[in-house]
Amino acid sequence: MGTASSLVSPGEVIEDGYGGEGGEACEIPVEVKPKARLLRSSFRRGPRVIGASFKSTGSVDLEYAAEYERLRKEYEIFRVSKNNEISSMQKKEAKLDEENKRLRAELQALQKTYQKILREKESALEAKYQAMERAATFEHDRDKVKRQFKIFRETKEKEIQDLLRAKRDLEAKLQQLQAQGIQVYDPNDSDSDDNQTTVTATGTQCEYWAGGVLGSEPSMGSMMQLQQTFKGPEFAHSLIDVEGPFANVSRDDWDAAVASLLQVSPHVRQALWSNTVRCYLIFTQETKAELDIFIKKHSPVLRKMCEDLGHFYLNVFFPEESAASYTVERKQEIERSSVCVLLLKSTVTSSVVEDCEEAFVKNPDGHPLVLYLRTGEDHSLTGSTRQLLERINAADKAAKLKVVDHSGSADDGAALIYTDLDKIIKQELLGLEGADVDSKDPGIEEGHEEDSGDMLWDLHDEQEQIESYQQACSSNVSQLGFQKYIDCLNDMITAPPPTPPLLVSGGPGSGKSLLLSKWIELQQKQSPNTLFLYHFVDRPLSISSEPVLIIKRLTVKLLQHFWSISGFSMEPSKILEEFPRWLERLSARHQGNIIIIIDSIDQIQQAERHMKWLIDPLPVNVRVVVSVNVETCPQAWRLWPTLHLDPLSPREVRSVVCAECQSMDLKLTKDQEKKLERHCRSASTCNALYVTLLARMITSQSCWSQEKSLEQCLQCQDTMSLYQLALKMMLNSLSTDKEQHILREILCLVCASHNGVSESEILDLFSELELPVLSSMLYHLNRLCIVTVRCGLIRFQHLQAWEAVRLQFLGGGSSSANYREKLIHYFSQQLSQDHVTWRVADELPWLLQQQEDRPKLQRSLLNLFVSQNLYKRGHFSELLTYWQYVGKDKNSMATEYFDSLKHYEKSCEGEDSMTKLANLYETLGRFLKDLGLPSQAVAPLQRSLEIRETALDPDHPSVARSLHQLAGVYVQWKKYGNAEQLYKQALEISENAYGAEHASVARELESLAVLYQKQNKYEQAEKLRKRSVKIRQKTARQKGHMYGFTLLRRRALQLEELTLGKDSADCAKTLNELGVLYYLQNNLDAAKVFLTRSLEMRQRVLGPDHPDCAQSLNNLAALHTERREYEAAEDMYERALDIRKKALSPDHPSLAYTLKHLAMLYKRRGKLDKAVPLYELSLEIREKSFGPKHPSVATALVNLAVIYCQLKKHSDALPLYERALKVYEDSLGRSHPRVGETLKNLAVLSYEEGDFEKAAELYKRAMEIKEAEPSLVCGNAPSRHSSSGDTFSLRGPAPLPHAPR
């Protein structure tokens, strides 16, 4: 049976038997069982067929009716339920409408409240700024009044003191006159005015005191300490504290003035032109042999010495046969030269006479001069030669000319020239005072950066900025019409605060850099109290465009004007983040305004991201001026106040061209002037750079005529095309294809390099190139505004010149890779010769990164001296970027460095190599600490400490440096007890080595103060901070070599001899410090002279038993020990010890210092019986100073035990070793290397005593400690000074500076 739906197909018409209308059949999902078979024909329309069953049809209809009724009821139920749901939904909808209306009303009320609060906030901010301005004005006025009152009070006090002193002098004089029997009348007893004078024994009228107040100028030594942190004797303590150099200037104001003059900025040497020692050699054919030998044999030695000290060296000479072709170049080279050498025999040529007139006669004081005169038996001077020598002798009024009269061989003559030049370069040019610097590298030498605390400074970056500013200031801008812009800048700077940064905008070459430089120069003259911080950005991707280095440099320049430098971080992200806070803190302490100028800020990499501090509100007394290219200025900065540089007017264009023509003695025709005026009317042809370049091209002496040059230039419609024409003109002016090829290669190398290429590097790369040709090329390229020389490197003057070279010679940069490979090969050769200079560190990693050569880049970074050079010069972010490019994270980078250091340590032998190794470990530790990896930083810092204590001396200043760095890690870990112990130990060493008023002492005091402040020990912190500030105010914190220190000391000595007389305590103190400076420079002869003079003067002035005499004796003893003159050293140490025993307390550190060094001398000379009591006394002093459980006490115990063992007093040595072992285990941990060393000593002692089992046990334990050391590579072990007692070490091997891979 089927369903009803199976009987009728859909769409089929069912015929109604009752005549009803048909309809479409629908499927009904109900199964119905028919009573009888239904015939399809019975459902058709029409008359019912006879014979069909009526009963069957009726039953079906009834069933359908029942089904219909059931469905109808269900539908009715469904309809009612849906109606109920609809009504319910309608009620809910009505309710939601009401809720929505209520919420809308609340929202409108909230919006009104928000607008009201916003208006109130704006009003409050405005009131706040006004209040801040009023407060700043009030504070300024209050401080001004306080200073005026202070000056007034101190002036009056000084006047009173002078009056009292004059009164005493008069009374003493009166008594002398009365003793001589001369009657003195009292003016009060006479009515006459004739007796208002006093008569001396000779009858002359005099005034013993005049109304003017004249304060004596104090000793420079009493105002400041000018020492650096190097090894050597202790420095003197000031005995006389003179209050201020003038009567109306207080001591604090004087200290501040001295600090502003002698800042932490690097000392940029003025005797060198652009960081290059240029030796100008004038010779004849008769002395060419000496010249050739000097250049071939001795010149490389001078060059290596200069490059190791961060300078370039260049020999400049023009052969006689071609000298006449280079008249202008010769004159320029003489002006730039650092030293001039004249080599003569009997005859001279016209070019030699011209050079001598320029160098020796017209400007004899401009630079050091050397005259080499070749003589012999048949020697006879010609008339012209004799006249030249007479003129040179007459011009040398100051007797500075050094004459070398030689009659021997040419080899000996060249050696004499080398000896004199070596002395001049070291002493007069580099200020080394005869120091032996052959083995030193300024980037890695010990103590190089310590005079500025933990701040790392790059001398070359600073010199580049100074030269950029000076070159811009030297340009003549009077024809450019900048006065109107300068007036606008002055008005905008003086606007009331708060003010956003000021934007100086203009097209490329519009003169923005020139304007800012001239404005800074004028402002510095008009506003001496204003602090100017400027930075000039070179082309993109250069070091000057690195944002982290820019902000670090500005921060350090800020800090140099204030005494506190604690808290300065080297981490790149923190430098950028903390600069606004430093600016706010330090600006609040500055009395005047602070103006920050950043030129071409849009060339900085990701300027908007890294210069977010510009958007924040600036402090009240801070103004910021930035210059941008109008086309590349970020959109957010366009809302700032803007000074736009317009194109030059026709009158200004005419002035520039006429000035250039006048300088070259040329004149344009009327027709040419009209052509120029018509041409320079568009925005692209009337900017400052375009017009200047156009004028120089027209007036240049090229292969083209003036008319042709003008026609060619007028076809160029922008600066870029004009530069391309200038390059074409320059190439056509060269005589040979070879010279043209070399010029193209030089420009391409400069374009492909990181920061430029030096002249000496170009001469190395092109051996066929002669210096006169190179000098001529650079002269004409500089005149055409293409290249310049800054910090000894050839660079492009403008960004457009760089772009023109890229387009003209490098195909838009596609050929740069070939020239980078040439530079990589050149610097890699230097690296393979263990010659790591700052140039190698700057260029090689950057070039490899640009070439995308990651393996070679990693190998260059694993040359430890390359990484150390970058880090110690403050290029922290650059070094980190290289490692990120290689694909190494911080931990893997640390592991690579450790492996490399192990490899290097295997080759270290001798004190010098171990000192370098310790420096490498310290640099790595500081680098990791700055990276935020203190747990890994402890290991290399600990290893550095161990090496220095072993290779140098436990009381060497370098040990204090290691302790200081290690303590900084414990501060990060909040292990304040361990940090305090290390800081105190470093403080003790620094005080013993340098005296109580040295910058290193101030650094340790400040670190302790910060530590106490973290522990809420505010009273102790404030006390130490005051002492630190006082020391810093007396210390000139100058960066660089000791040149400035020695000059200042000599000047101080001259002043003190004039003002205080030749015999005074301050004068003796200055003599002592001069001696120490010479000692630190290894000039022992000069040091002995000054130290001896200091001792003799102190004995005369203070008496032979004064503690300062002991100090001079101590320093002289150290000098004699250095010279291996042990008998003299022993005598002086003993005399110093006797004086200090009488004058100082038994536990005074200075007494312990002398005891220790005298005991070491006794031990060295084999006088063990004399050394024992000194070691015992030293042990007592250490126990009183530090307590019986301090590690330094254990060290003293071991030293004494070693002496007992050498004396075969084993029974006395055993308890000392055991006690030292217990102290080491309790304070340093059972696995510390010191514990292992003590166990080894105990094992040897037990073996000699015959206790072999105990000896074997002790030796086994010592070896276990030693074997456990190398496994603790990455510093995962706890600190040696940790409270848990667990320790670690890095005594294992470590990396070659250039670890082979």
Side-chain angles (χ1 to χ4, degrees), residues 516-565:
L516 291 177
S517 300
K518 285 295 180 182
W519 180 71
I520 294 171
E521 186 180 28
L522 292 173
Q523 282 289 318
Q524 285 179 334
K525 296 177 181 177
Q526 298 170 1
S527 307
N529 293 330
T530 301
L531 172 60
F532 288 89
L533 307 176
Y534 57 81
H535 188 89
F536 294 86
V537 180
D538 203 359
R539 62 182 176 89
L541 300 181
S542 64
I543 285 181
S544 63
S545 64
E546 173 62 38
V548 176
L549 291 178
I550 293 174
I551 297 301
K552 192 204 78 170
R553 177 179 173 272
L554 294 177
T555 305
V556 175
K557 294 287 283 184
L558 266 177
L559 290 171
Q560 74 185 13
H561 295 272
F562 305 94
W563 299 115
S564 176
I565 61 170

Side-chain angles (χ1 to χ4, degrees), residues 292-308:
D292 293 339
I293 294 171
F294 170 77
I295 291 176
K296 183 177 180 180
K297 183 178 180 181
H298 302 292
S299 178
V301 180
L302 294 176
R303 177 178 175 181
K304 185 177 186 304
M305 177 193 70
C306 293
E307 289 181 349
D308 285 344

Side-chain angles (χ1 to χ4, degrees), residues 748-923:
C748 291
L749 287 173
V750 174
C751 189
S753 66
H754 191 195
N755 296 303
V757 184
S758 70
E759 295 167 86
S760 56
E761 290 166 354
I762 287 177
L763 293 173
D764 289 342
L765 288 165
F766 302 98
S767 57
E768 70 276 14
L769 178 63
E770 297 180 352
L771 188 130
V773 178
L774 175 62
S775 179
S776 177
M777 287 180 180
L778 295 180
Y779 171 78
H780 290 95
L781 287 172
N782 180 68
R783 175 163 171 73
L784 291 176
C785 305
I786 297 175
V787 302
T788 185
V789 179
R790 285 199 295 269
C791 197
L793 298 174
I794 302 170
R795 310 163 187 257
F796 291 104
Q797 280 196 32
H798 300 278
L799 186 61
Q800 291 94 326
W802 176 66
E803 287 287 352
V805 171
R806 288 180 71 249
L807 293 174
Q808 190 85 353
F809 300 143
L810 292 174
S814 58
S815 303
S816 298
N818 297 331
Y819 293 96
R820 284 197 290 264
E821 282 295 335
K822 291 182 180 180
L823 291 172
I824 288 172
H825 177 71
Y826 173 75
F827 289 115
S828 297
Q829 281 184 330
Q830 293 191 8
L831 200 64
S832 63
Q833 299 168 2
D834 290 345
H835 192 208
V836 179
T837 63
W838 67 280
R839 286 289 296 146
V840 176
D842 270 358
E843 291 290 334
L844 186 58
W846 184 86
L847 291 167
L848 292 171
Q849 183 189 28
Q850 297 300 309
Q851 292 294 87
E852 299 181 357
D853 194 339
R854 288 179 173 82
K856 287 186 179 179
L857 174 58
Q858 183 171 346
R859 285 198 294 273
S860 70
L861 294 176
L862 287 176
N863 183 310
L864 299 170
F865 295 116
V866 170
S867 297
Q868 187 183 49
N869 193 297
L870 285 171
Y871 175 76
K872 284 208 166 187
R873 287 169 44 233
H875 292 214
F876 180 93
S877 58
E878 190 177 351
L879 183 58
L880 194 58
T881 301
Y882 292 144
W883 278 108
Q884 291 172 346
Y885 180 78
V886 169
K888 299 288 184 180
D889 58 9
K890 296 179 181 180
N891 293 310
S892 57
M893 176 191 66
T895 305
E896 293 279 355
Y897 273 130
F898 274 115
D899 293 341
S900 193
L901 268 170
K902 284 182 185 178
H903 186 60
Y904 176 59
E905 189 171 2
K906 293 178 181 178
S907 64
C908 290
E909 294 180 0
E911 182 176 335
D912 290 341
S913 59
M914 294 303 291
T915 301
K916 289 182 179 180
L917 177 64
N919 291 338
L920 290 171
Y921 272 118
E922 181 188 346
T923 303

Side-chain angles (χ1 to χ4, degrees), residues 126-144 497 588 591 620-621:
E126 184 177 359
K128 175 186 174 183
Y129 291 137
Q130 292 175 356
M132 289 173 61
E133 184 178 354
R134 289 195 300 271
T137 305
F138 171 76
E139 289 180 1
H140 180 268
D141 294 341
R142 182 195 63 188
D143 293 341
K144 182 179 179 181
Q591 298 299 329
V620 178
N621 60 336

Side-chain angles (χ1 to χ4, degrees), residues 116-309:
K116 180 180 177 182
I117 293 174
L118 191 61
R119 288 192 298 270
E120 290 176 354
K121 177 185 176 183
E122 292 174 352
S123 303
L125 284 175
E126 184 177 359
K128 175 186 174 183
Y129 291 137
Q130 292 175 356
M132 289 173 61
E133 184 178 354
R134 289 195 300 271
T137 305
F138 171 76
E139 289 180 1
H140 180 268
D141 294 341
R142 182 195 63 188
D143 293 341
K144 182 179 179 181
V145 172
K146 287 174 64 176
R147 288 195 302 273
Q148 290 174 346
F149 174 73
K150 183 179 180 182
I151 293 172
F152 173 78
R153 185 193 65 196
E154 293 180 350
T155 303
K156 294 306 176 184
E157 290 176 353
K158 184 68 175 178
E159 290 177 1
I160 292 171
Q161 295 295 327
D162 289 340
L163 286 171
L164 292 174
R165 192 180 303 111
K167 178 184 176 183
R168 289 192 296 270
D169 292 342
L170 285 172
E171 290 174 350
K173 192 68 176 178
L174 180 62
Q175 292 175 2
Q176 292 177 5
L177 293 175
Q178 290 175 349
Q180 295 173 8
I182 299 175
Q183 183 66 30
V184 181
Y185 296 96
D186 188 352
N188 295 326
D189 297 337
S190 175
D191 294 334
S192 172
D193 293 336
D194 298 335
N195 296 324
Q196 293 300 317
T197 59
T198 305
V199 180
T200 64
T202 56
T204 57
Q205 181 179 353
C206 65
E207 291 181 349
Y208 294 105
W209 178 80
V213 181
L214 297 176
S216 63
E217 189 173 31
S219 159
M220 289 286 283
S222 67
M223 292 182 293
M224 68 190 91
Q225 302 294 323
L226 299 178
Q227 306 97 318
Q228 276 189 320
T229 55
F230 293 95
K231 69 175 183 178
E234 51 193 321
F235 273 46
H237 300 264
S238 176
L239 295 177
I240 299 177
D241 197 18
V242 184
E243 287 296 332
F246 309 109
N248 59 346
V249 179
S250 70
R251 180 60 177 270
D252 294 338
D253 294 337
W254 170 254
D255 288 336
V258 170
S260 65
L261 293 174
L262 301 172
Q263 299 165 352
V264 78
S265 299
H267 178 73
V268 178
R269 201 160 312 289
Q270 300 300 322
L272 304 183
W273 183 85
S274 193
N275 196 40
T276 305
V277 177
R278 307 178 78 89
C279 181
Y280 192 86
L281 301 163
I282 308 170
F283 68 100
T284 64
Q285 287 297 327
E286 297 171 323
T287 55
K288 192 173 185 303
E290 285 91 338
L291 177 71
D292 293 339
I293 294 171
F294 170 77
I295 291 176
K296 183 177 180 180
K297 183 178 180 181
H298 302 292
S299 178
V301 180
L302 294 176
R303 177 178 175 181
K304 185 177 186 304
M305 177 193 70
C306 293
E307 289 181 349
D308 285 344
L309 291 169

Side-chain angles (χ1 to χ4, degrees), residues 394-411:
D396 185 31
K397 297 178 181 179
K400 292 185 177 180
L401 178 64
K402 294 177 175 58
V403 180
V404 180
D405 195 350
H406 179 61
S407 59
S409 65
D411 283 336

Side-chain angles (χ1 to χ4, degrees), residues 1009-1300:
V1010 172
L1011 181 64
Y1012 285 145
Q1013 191 169 358
K1014 291 178 181 292
Q1015 297 174 288
N1016 299 326
K1017 299 178 181 178
Y1018 299 110
E1019 185 175 350
Q1020 292 173 273
E1022 186 63 22
K1023 183 178 178 181
L1024 295 177
R1025 184 171 283 109
K1026 285 182 179 179
R1027 184 183 166 196
S1028 171
V1029 169
K1030 187 176 180 181
I1031 294 173
R1032 290 192 185 278
Q1033 288 177 341
K1034 291 182 179 180
T1035 305
R1037 313 189 65 250
Q1038 185 175 0
K1039 190 72 180 153
H1041 304 289
M1042 292 190 180
Y1043 178 72
F1045 295 112
T1046 309
L1047 291 183
L1048 284 171
R1049 279 298 175 203
R1050 285 179 174 174
R1051 179 61 180 155
L1053 183 61
Q1054 293 171 2
L1055 290 174
E1056 286 166 351
E1057 289 180 347
L1058 288 173
T1059 56
L1060 302 176
K1062 292 193 175 181
D1063 282 0
S1064 67
D1066 273 357
C1067 195
K1069 174 180 178 293
T1070 305
L1071 286 168
N1072 177 71
E1073 293 175 354
L1074 264 173
V1076 173
L1077 282 171
Y1078 283 118
Y1079 175 88
L1080 297 178
Q1081 299 167 46
N1082 205 28
N1083 190 351
L1084 301 183
D1085 293 333
K1088 183 178 180 180
V1089 172
F1090 284 104
L1091 290 174
T1092 304
R1093 285 183 60 191
S1094 173
L1095 174 62
E1096 293 171 352
M1097 188 177 295
R1098 281 174 167 171
Q1099 288 174 340
R1100 289 194 301 269
V1101 176
L1102 305 173
D1105 295 331
H1106 195 276
D1108 282 4
C1109 295
Q1111 184 189 54
S1112 295
L1113 287 167
N1114 206 88
N1115 291 343
L1116 276 168
L1119 185 143
H1120 286 299
T1121 304
E1122 187 80 11
R1123 301 176 71 165
R1124 301 184 183 276
E1125 298 169 354
Y1126 296 130
E1127 290 185 4
E1130 181 179 334
D1131 177 62
M1132 291 184 175
Y1133 272 135
E1134 289 175 347
R1135 289 166 59 190
L1137 182 61
D1138 291 339
I1139 294 173
R1140 286 182 167 174
K1141 279 183 176 179
K1142 296 175 184 177
L1144 303 176
S1145 61
D1147 57 347
H1148 197 279
S1150 297
L1151 180 59
Y1153 182 86
T1154 306
L1155 283 169
K1156 182 193 70 174
H1157 285 85
L1158 181 56
M1160 291 171 60
L1161 184 61
Y1162 282 151
K1163 182 181 175 183
R1164 183 178 296 177
R1165 301 194 66 192
K1167 298 181 179 181
L1168 301 181
D1169 293 333
K1170 287 188 174 182
V1172 170
L1174 298 184
Y1175 275 119
E1176 291 175 345
L1177 185 55
S1178 177
L1179 174 60
E1180 292 178 8
I1181 293 175
R1182 291 199 180 192
E1183 287 179 333
K1184 292 179 181 178
S1185 301
F1186 302 108
K1189 296 183 179 181
H1190 195 273
S1192 62
V1193 174
T1195 303
L1197 289 166
V1198 171
N1199 292 337
L1200 184 57
V1202 169
I1203 292 289
Y1204 283 149
C1205 286
Q1206 291 178 350
L1207 292 171
K1208 304 300 182 182
K1209 296 181 180 180
H1210 297 159
S1211 59
D1212 294 333
L1214 182 60
L1216 297 178
Y1217 274 134
E1218 291 175 346
R1219 183 182 163 196
L1221 178 62
K1222 188 173 188 311
V1223 173
Y1224 277 144
E1225 288 179 340
D1226 293 343
S1227 60
L1228 305 180
R1230 296 177 59 84
S1231 301
H1232 193 271
R1234 290 281 180 86
V1235 175
E1237 293 168 2
T1238 310
L1239 287 169
K1240 192 175 180 181
N1241 289 340
L1242 271 172
V1244 174
L1245 183 60
S1246 300
Y1247 183 86
E1248 291 181 356
E1249 288 289 310
D1251 193 347
F1252 303 118
E1253 292 184 4
K1254 184 178 181 181
E1257 181 182 352
L1258 293 171
Y1259 189 79
K1260 179 181 178 182
R1261 186 181 163 198
M1263 289 299 101
E1264 289 175 354
I1265 294 175
K1266 184 176 181 60
E1267 290 171 358
E1269 292 170 15
S1271 62
L1272 303 169
V1273 173
C1274 292
N1276 297 323
S1279 158
R1280 107 178 205 191
H1281 294 288
S1282 65
S1283 56
S1284 64
D1286 295 329
T1287 61
F1288 60 88
S1289 175
L1290 271 173
R1291 194 170 290 277
L1296 274 173
H1298 50 284

